[in-house]
Amino acid sequence: MGKSEQANQQTDQQALDENIKNIRYKLVILSGKGGVGKSTVVVNLATSLARQGKSVGILDTDLHGPNIAKMMGLEGTAMTASSAEEIVPLESHGIKVLSMASFLPDADSPVVWRGPLKMKAIRQFLAETRWGTLDYLLVDSPPGTGDEPLSVCQLIPDMDGVIVVTTPQDVALLDSRKSVNFARLLKVPVLGIVENMSGFTCPHCGKQIDLFKRGGGERAAKELNVPFLGRVPIDPRMVTSGDDGRPFVSDHGETEAARAMEGILSNILRNVEGAPVPTKEGETA
Ligand SMILES: Nc1ncnc2c1ncn2[C@@H]1O[C@H](COP(=O)(O)OP(=O)(O)O)[C@@H](O)[C@H]1O
Ligand SMILES: [Mg+2]
Protein backbone atom coordinates (compact mmCIF):
# COMPACT_ATOMS: atom_id res chain seq x y z
CA MET A 1 0.00 0.00 0.00
CA GLY A 2 1.33 3.44 -0.96
CA LYS A 3 1.80 6.22 1.57
CA SER A 4 -1.04 8.36 0.20
CA GLU A 5 -3.40 5.38 0.13
CA GLN A 6 -2.57 4.69 3.76
CA ALA A 7 -3.22 8.34 4.63
CA ASN A 8 -6.55 8.20 2.79
CA GLN A 9 -7.59 5.16 4.77
CA GLN A 10 -6.69 6.92 7.98
CA THR A 11 -8.81 9.94 7.05
CA ASP A 12 -11.69 7.61 6.06
CA GLN A 13 -11.49 5.88 9.43
CA GLN A 14 -11.41 9.20 11.26
CA ALA A 15 -14.56 10.32 9.43
CA LEU A 16 -16.25 7.03 10.31
CA ASP A 17 -15.22 7.27 13.98
CA GLU A 18 -16.50 10.85 14.09
CA ASN A 19 -19.84 9.86 12.55
CA ILE A 20 -20.58 7.10 15.07
CA LYS A 21 -18.99 8.71 18.11
CA ASN A 22 -22.40 9.41 19.65
CA ILE A 23 -23.45 5.76 19.55
CA ARG A 24 -22.87 4.49 23.05
CA TYR A 25 -22.98 0.71 22.61
CA LYS A 26 -22.45 -1.27 19.44
CA LEU A 27 -23.33 -4.97 19.32
CA VAL A 28 -23.11 -7.47 16.48
CA ILE A 29 -25.23 -10.61 16.13
CA LEU A 30 -23.68 -13.70 14.56
CA SER A 31 -24.50 -17.34 13.89
CA GLY A 32 -22.82 -20.29 12.27
CA LYS A 33 -25.64 -20.79 9.81
CA GLY A 34 -28.78 -19.22 8.41
CA GLY A 35 -32.36 -19.48 9.54
CA VAL A 36 -31.59 -19.80 13.26
CA GLY A 37 -33.31 -16.50 14.14
CA LYS A 38 -30.59 -13.83 14.12
CA SER A 39 -32.73 -11.19 12.44
CA THR A 40 -35.69 -12.08 14.65
CA VAL A 41 -33.52 -11.70 17.77
CA VAL A 42 -32.17 -8.36 16.50
CA VAL A 43 -35.66 -6.96 15.80
CA ASN A 44 -37.02 -8.05 19.17
CA LEU A 45 -34.04 -6.98 21.26
CA ALA A 46 -34.11 -3.60 19.51
CA THR A 47 -37.84 -3.24 20.16
CA SER A 48 -37.45 -4.19 23.82
CA LEU A 49 -34.64 -1.65 24.18
CA ALA A 50 -36.79 1.04 22.56
CA ARG A 51 -39.67 0.15 24.88
CA GLN A 52 -37.31 0.77 27.80
CA GLY A 53 -36.82 4.29 26.47
CA LYS A 54 -33.44 3.68 24.86
CA SER A 55 -32.60 5.14 21.46
CA VAL A 56 -31.79 2.31 19.09
CA GLY A 57 -30.59 1.72 15.55
CA ILE A 58 -30.39 -1.45 13.50
CA LEU A 59 -27.81 -1.86 10.78
CA ASP A 60 -28.59 -4.81 8.51
CA THR A 61 -25.34 -6.03 7.00
CA ASP A 62 -26.90 -9.13 5.45
CA LEU A 63 -26.33 -7.60 2.03
CA HIS A 64 -27.44 -10.67 0.08
CA GLY A 65 -30.45 -11.53 2.19
CA PRO A 66 -31.57 -8.37 3.98
CA ASN A 67 -34.66 -9.22 6.04
CA ILE A 68 -34.68 -6.43 8.61
CA ALA A 69 -36.64 -3.96 6.47
CA LYS A 70 -39.47 -6.45 5.98
CA MET A 71 -39.46 -7.57 9.61
CA MET A 72 -39.68 -3.92 10.71
CA GLY A 73 -42.55 -3.15 8.36
CA LEU A 74 -40.41 -1.10 6.00
CA GLU A 75 -40.56 -3.34 2.95
CA GLY A 76 -40.89 -1.32 -0.21
CA THR A 77 -39.98 1.94 1.54
CA ALA A 78 -37.21 3.44 -0.54
CA MET A 79 -34.29 5.26 0.98
CA THR A 80 -33.86 8.95 0.37
CA ALA A 81 -30.55 10.68 0.72
CA SER A 82 -30.77 14.09 2.38
CA SER A 83 -27.79 15.23 0.37
CA ALA A 84 -25.33 13.48 -1.88
CA GLU A 85 -23.16 12.87 1.16
CA GLU A 86 -25.59 11.58 3.72
CA ILE A 87 -27.93 8.63 4.18
CA VAL A 88 -30.94 9.13 6.43
CA PRO A 89 -32.01 5.89 8.11
CA LEU A 90 -35.67 4.90 7.94
CA GLU A 91 -37.62 4.79 11.16
CA SER A 92 -40.06 2.18 12.45
CA HIS A 93 -41.38 1.49 15.96
CA GLY A 94 -39.08 4.29 17.10
CA ILE A 95 -36.02 2.47 15.78
CA LYS A 96 -33.64 3.78 13.12
CA VAL A 97 -33.20 1.17 10.42
CA LEU A 98 -30.67 0.89 7.64
CA SER A 99 -30.86 -2.09 5.33
CA MET A 100 -29.56 -2.88 1.89
CA ALA A 101 -33.14 -3.83 1.01
CA SER A 102 -34.08 -0.14 0.99
CA PHE A 103 -31.58 0.61 -1.76
CA LEU A 104 -32.62 -2.18 -4.12
CA PRO A 105 -35.09 -1.52 -6.94
CA ASP A 106 -37.26 -4.45 -5.84
CA ALA A 107 -37.27 -7.37 -3.42
CA ASP A 108 -35.99 -9.80 -6.05
CA SER A 109 -32.87 -7.90 -7.13
CA PRO A 110 -29.74 -9.78 -6.13
CA VAL A 111 -26.62 -8.05 -4.87
CA VAL A 112 -23.69 -9.45 -6.82
CA TRP A 113 -20.62 -8.10 -5.07
CA ARG A 114 -17.23 -9.34 -4.06
CA GLY A 115 -15.62 -8.68 -0.67
CA PRO A 116 -14.08 -5.23 -1.31
CA LEU A 117 -17.39 -3.81 -2.56
CA LYS A 118 -19.19 -5.17 0.48
CA MET A 119 -16.63 -3.55 2.76
CA LYS A 120 -17.14 -0.27 0.91
CA ALA A 121 -20.91 -0.43 1.34
CA ILE A 122 -20.63 -1.21 5.04
CA ARG A 123 -18.13 1.61 5.48
CA GLN A 124 -20.66 3.99 3.90
CA PHE A 125 -23.44 2.66 6.11
CA LEU A 126 -21.33 3.56 9.12
CA ALA A 127 -19.56 6.72 7.95
CA GLU A 128 -22.24 8.43 5.87
CA THR A 129 -25.45 7.64 7.70
CA ARG A 130 -27.04 10.16 9.99
CA TRP A 131 -27.22 7.88 13.03
CA GLY A 132 -27.18 10.75 15.47
CA THR A 133 -27.09 9.97 19.16
CA LEU A 134 -27.99 6.38 19.99
CA ASP A 135 -27.81 4.26 23.10
CA TYR A 136 -27.53 1.07 21.04
CA LEU A 137 -26.67 0.07 17.50
CA LEU A 138 -27.48 -3.58 16.77
CA VAL A 139 -25.75 -4.98 13.71
CA ASP A 140 -27.45 -7.92 11.99
CA SER A 141 -25.23 -10.22 9.93
CA PRO A 142 -25.48 -12.88 7.27
CA PRO A 143 -24.69 -16.41 8.52
CA GLY A 144 -21.07 -17.33 9.10
CA THR A 145 -17.88 -15.39 9.56
CA GLY A 146 -17.36 -13.82 6.15
CA ASP A 147 -16.70 -10.37 4.73
CA GLU A 148 -19.64 -8.60 6.36
CA PRO A 149 -18.97 -9.26 10.07
CA LEU A 150 -15.25 -8.98 9.43
CA SER A 151 -15.72 -5.53 7.89
CA VAL A 152 -18.01 -4.47 10.72
CA CYS A 153 -15.57 -5.52 13.43
CA GLN A 154 -12.63 -3.93 11.66
CA LEU A 155 -14.48 -0.68 11.00
CA ILE A 156 -15.76 -0.49 14.59
CA PRO A 157 -12.65 -1.30 16.64
CA ASP A 158 -14.46 -0.56 19.91
CA MET A 159 -17.30 -3.00 19.22
CA ASP A 160 -18.86 -3.78 22.60
CA GLY A 161 -19.78 -7.36 21.98
CA VAL A 162 -20.86 -10.30 19.88
CA ILE A 163 -24.11 -12.18 20.52
CA VAL A 164 -24.24 -15.68 19.02
CA VAL A 165 -27.59 -17.21 18.08
CA THR A 166 -27.94 -20.96 17.68
CA THR A 167 -30.58 -23.70 17.71
CA PRO A 168 -30.70 -26.45 20.38
CA GLN A 169 -29.34 -29.45 18.44
CA ASP A 170 -25.98 -31.03 19.25
CA VAL A 171 -24.51 -29.27 16.22
CA ALA A 172 -24.99 -25.99 18.12
CA LEU A 173 -21.52 -26.44 19.54
CA LEU A 174 -20.03 -26.90 16.11
CA ASP A 175 -21.96 -23.90 14.78
CA SER A 176 -21.24 -21.58 17.69
CA ARG A 177 -17.57 -22.40 18.03
CA LYS A 178 -16.68 -20.64 14.79
CA SER A 179 -18.55 -17.47 15.76
CA VAL A 180 -16.96 -17.45 19.22
CA ASN A 181 -13.49 -18.03 17.80
CA PHE A 182 -14.08 -15.29 15.23
CA ALA A 183 -14.90 -12.84 18.02
CA ARG A 184 -11.87 -13.91 20.02
CA LEU A 185 -9.62 -13.52 17.00
CA LEU A 186 -10.88 -9.98 16.50
CA LYS A 187 -10.75 -9.26 20.24
CA VAL A 188 -14.44 -8.47 20.54
CA PRO A 189 -16.03 -9.57 23.84
CA VAL A 190 -18.47 -12.48 23.50
CA LEU A 191 -21.62 -11.47 25.37
CA GLY A 192 -23.01 -14.95 25.09
CA ILE A 193 -25.10 -17.52 23.26
CA VAL A 194 -28.87 -17.44 22.65
CA GLU A 195 -30.58 -20.81 22.18
CA ASN A 196 -33.48 -20.09 19.82
CA MET A 197 -36.29 -22.41 18.69
CA SER A 198 -35.90 -24.23 21.98
CA GLY A 199 -38.98 -26.32 22.65
CA PHE A 200 -42.58 -25.80 21.59
CA THR A 201 -45.66 -25.91 23.76
CA CYS A 202 -48.57 -27.56 21.91
CA PRO A 203 -51.43 -25.04 21.85
CA HIS A 204 -53.95 -27.92 21.90
CA CYS A 205 -52.74 -30.16 24.70
CA GLY A 206 -50.24 -27.87 26.44
CA LYS A 207 -47.51 -30.51 26.32
CA GLN A 208 -43.98 -29.55 25.41
CA ILE A 209 -42.42 -30.93 22.24
CA ASP A 210 -38.69 -30.48 21.70
CA LEU A 211 -38.68 -30.18 17.93
CA PHE A 212 -34.95 -29.45 17.71
CA LYS A 213 -34.02 -31.02 21.04
CA ARG A 214 -33.11 -28.77 23.92
CA GLY A 215 -30.03 -27.55 25.70
CA GLY A 216 -27.49 -27.56 22.85
CA GLY A 217 -26.94 -23.81 23.06
CA GLU A 218 -26.48 -23.92 26.80
CA ARG A 219 -24.04 -26.81 26.54
CA ALA A 220 -22.15 -24.95 23.80
CA ALA A 221 -21.90 -21.89 26.04
CA LYS A 222 -20.51 -24.00 28.87
CA GLU A 223 -18.08 -25.80 26.59
CA LEU A 224 -16.85 -22.56 24.99
CA ASN A 225 -16.71 -20.80 28.36
CA VAL A 226 -19.01 -17.92 27.39
CA PRO A 227 -22.24 -16.76 29.08
CA PHE A 228 -25.51 -18.48 28.24
CA LEU A 229 -28.03 -15.69 27.59
CA GLY A 230 -31.20 -17.78 27.55
CA ARG A 231 -33.50 -19.89 25.41
CA VAL A 232 -36.43 -18.75 23.27
CA PRO A 233 -39.16 -21.31 22.55
CA ILE A 234 -40.76 -21.77 19.15
CA ASP A 235 -43.88 -19.67 18.80
CA PRO A 236 -45.60 -19.76 15.41
CA ARG A 237 -46.80 -16.20 16.01
CA MET A 238 -43.19 -15.13 15.75
CA VAL A 239 -43.20 -16.17 12.10
CA THR A 240 -46.41 -14.23 11.44
CA SER A 241 -45.05 -11.17 13.24
CA GLY A 242 -41.86 -11.24 11.17
CA ASP A 243 -43.79 -11.65 7.93
CA ASP A 244 -46.19 -8.86 8.87
CA GLY A 245 -43.39 -6.48 9.79
CA ARG A 246 -44.47 -6.17 13.41
CA PRO A 247 -42.01 -6.90 16.23
CA PHE A 248 -43.27 -9.93 18.16
CA VAL A 249 -42.49 -8.48 21.60
CA SER A 250 -44.70 -5.46 21.03
CA ASP A 251 -47.73 -7.51 19.91
CA HIS A 252 -47.29 -10.57 22.12
CA GLY A 253 -45.57 -9.25 25.21
CA GLU A 254 -47.27 -11.74 27.53
CA THR A 255 -46.00 -14.89 25.80
CA GLU A 256 -43.23 -17.14 27.08
CA ALA A 257 -41.15 -16.32 24.00
CA ALA A 258 -41.45 -12.55 24.57
CA ARG A 259 -40.52 -12.93 28.23
CA ALA A 260 -37.53 -15.02 27.14
CA MET A 261 -36.40 -12.21 24.84
CA GLU A 262 -36.73 -9.73 27.73
CA GLY A 263 -34.67 -12.01 29.95
CA ILE A 264 -31.97 -12.31 27.32
CA LEU A 265 -31.90 -8.54 26.98
CA SER A 266 -31.46 -8.13 30.76
CA ASN A 267 -28.54 -10.54 30.67
CA ILE A 268 -26.97 -8.60 27.82
CA LEU A 269 -27.49 -5.23 29.51
CA ARG A 270 -26.02 -6.48 32.75
CA ASN A 271 -22.95 -7.58 30.85
CA VAL A 272 -22.60 -4.50 28.63
CA GLU A 273 -23.54 -1.73 31.02
CA GLY A 274 -22.36 -3.53 34.13
CA ALA A 275 -24.15 -3.66 37.44
CA PRO A 276 -25.32 -0.29 38.76
CA VAL A 277 -22.44 1.35 40.60
CA PRO A 278 -23.26 1.91 44.27
CA THR A 279 -22.60 5.50 45.31
CA LYS A 280 -23.41 5.57 48.99
CA GLU A 281 -24.33 2.58 51.06
CA GLY A 282 -27.66 1.19 49.89
CA GLU A 283 -27.96 3.65 47.04
CA THR A 284 -27.34 3.16 43.36
CA ALA A 285 -26.33 5.75 40.84
N1 LIG B 1 -38.46 -18.69 18.30
C1 LIG B 1 -39.04 -18.75 17.10
N2 LIG B 1 -40.26 -19.32 16.95
C2 LIG B 1 -40.84 -19.40 15.74
N3 LIG B 1 -40.29 -18.94 14.61
C3 LIG B 1 -39.08 -18.36 14.69
C4 LIG B 1 -38.39 -18.22 15.92
N4 LIG B 1 -37.21 -17.58 15.68
C5 LIG B 1 -37.19 -17.33 14.36
N5 LIG B 1 -38.30 -17.79 13.76
C6 LIG B 1 -38.62 -17.75 12.33
O1 LIG B 1 -37.64 -18.49 11.63
C7 LIG B 1 -37.35 -17.89 10.39
C8 LIG B 1 -35.84 -17.57 10.31
O2 LIG B 1 -35.53 -16.56 11.25
P1 LIG B 1 -34.53 -15.38 10.90
O3 LIG B 1 -34.58 -14.44 12.04
O4 LIG B 1 -34.81 -14.84 9.54
O5 LIG B 1 -33.15 -16.18 10.90
P2 LIG B 1 -31.68 -15.72 10.40
O6 LIG B 1 -31.65 -14.23 10.45
O7 LIG B 1 -30.74 -16.36 11.38
O8 LIG B 1 -31.52 -16.28 9.03
C9 LIG B 1 -38.22 -16.64 10.30
O9 LIG B 1 -39.36 -16.94 9.55
C10 LIG B 1 -38.60 -16.36 11.74
O10 LIG B 1 -39.85 -15.73 11.85
MG1 LIG C 1 -31.26 -12.86 8.92
Side-chain angles (χ1 to χ4, degrees):
M1 196 188 315
K3 262 226 172 81
S4 66
E5 201 178 324
Q6 217 166 18
N8 275 345
Q9 276 197 0
Q10 242 168 33
T11 332
D12 279 358
Q13 186 62 40
Q14 273 166 6
L16 190 156
D17 293 345
E18 177 66 24
N19 191 54
I20 60 168
K21 72 166 192 256
N22 293 322
I23 305 177
R24 180 106 193 252
Y25 300 112
K26 295 155 286 252
L27 309 179
V28 58
I29 287 70
L30 296 180
S31 75
K33 63 186 175 205
V36 299
K38 278 181 303 303
S39 303
T40 304
V41 166
V42 167
V43 161
N44 286 290
L45 291 182
T47 306
S48 296
L49 279 166
R51 282 155 65 96
Q52 290 183 12
K54 303 223 155 74
S55 49
V56 190
I58 301 177
L59 172 59
D60 182 3
T61 68
D62 192 345
L63 302 175
H64 297 288
N67 288 155
I68 291 291
K70 181 173 174 70
M71 288 180 170
M72 290 297 291
L74 293 167
E75 194 183 35
T77 311
M79 209 82 198
T80 48
S82 71
S83 70
E85 294 288 295
E86 203 179 29
I87 302 165
V88 184
L90 297 175
E91 204 157 324
S92 175
H93 299 272
I95 296 161
K96 290 183 177 167
V97 178
L98 183 54
S99 172
M100 192 65 208
S102 315
F103 295 98
L104 300 173
D106 59 72
D108 302 328
S109 300
V111 169
V112 188
W113 286 351
R114 291 185 203 280
L117 259 186
K118 293 188 200 172
M119 173 107 166
K120 203 174 152 201
I122 291 169
R123 183 191 294 280
Q124 271 185 300
F125 289 169
L126 290 167
E128 295 171 22
T129 299
R130 197 195 291 164
W131 289 111
T133 301
L134 291 180
D135 294 312
Y136 279 88
L137 179 69
L138 303 187
V139 182
D140 192 17
S141 313
T145 52
D147 291 304
E148 295 86 345
L150 179 62
S151 302
V152 166
C153 293
Q154 285 177 336
L155 293 167
I156 309 179
D158 64 339
M159 179 66 73
D160 294 280
V162 162
I163 298 160
V164 179
V165 180
T166 188
T167 45
Q169 302 93 319
D170 294 338
V171 289
L173 177 59
L174 206 67
D175 291 337
S176 308
R177 184 176 271 137
K178 291 194 184 77
S179 304
V180 168
N181 285 341
F182 170 86
R184 286 182 175 150
L185 195 70
L186 294 166
K187 305 206 165 29
V188 182
V190 179
L191 296 175
I193 294 180
V194 174
E195 180 177 308
N196 188 30
M197 308 191 183
S198 184
F200 170 67
T201 307
C202 172
H204 307 294
C205 71
K207 280 214 178 102
Q208 177 155 322
I209 310 162
D210 291 336
L211 286 169
F212 299 121
K213 290 182 142 179
R214 219 174 134 82
E218 186 167 17
R219 278 194 299 278
K222 205 174 236 171
E223 195 96 2
L224 298 167
N225 204 18
V226 298
F228 178 60
L229 295 171
R231 64 181 96 246
V232 183
I234 292 178
D235 189 325
R237 287 166 290 187
M238 211 175 275
V239 181
T240 321
S241 293
D243 283 351
D244 291 349
R246 300 193 48 88
F248 176 82
V249 290
S250 51
D251 284 1
H252 303 284
E254 291 314 305
T255 56
E256 192 192 337
R259 282 199 300 271
M261 289 281 186
E262 304 278 351
I264 288 164
L265 178 62
S266 314
N267 288 334
I268 294 169
L269 294 193
R270 200 172 310 123
N271 197 329
V272 173
E273 301 180 8
V277 186
T279 46
K280 276 185 255 158
E281 214 169 322
E283 259 179 51
T284 49

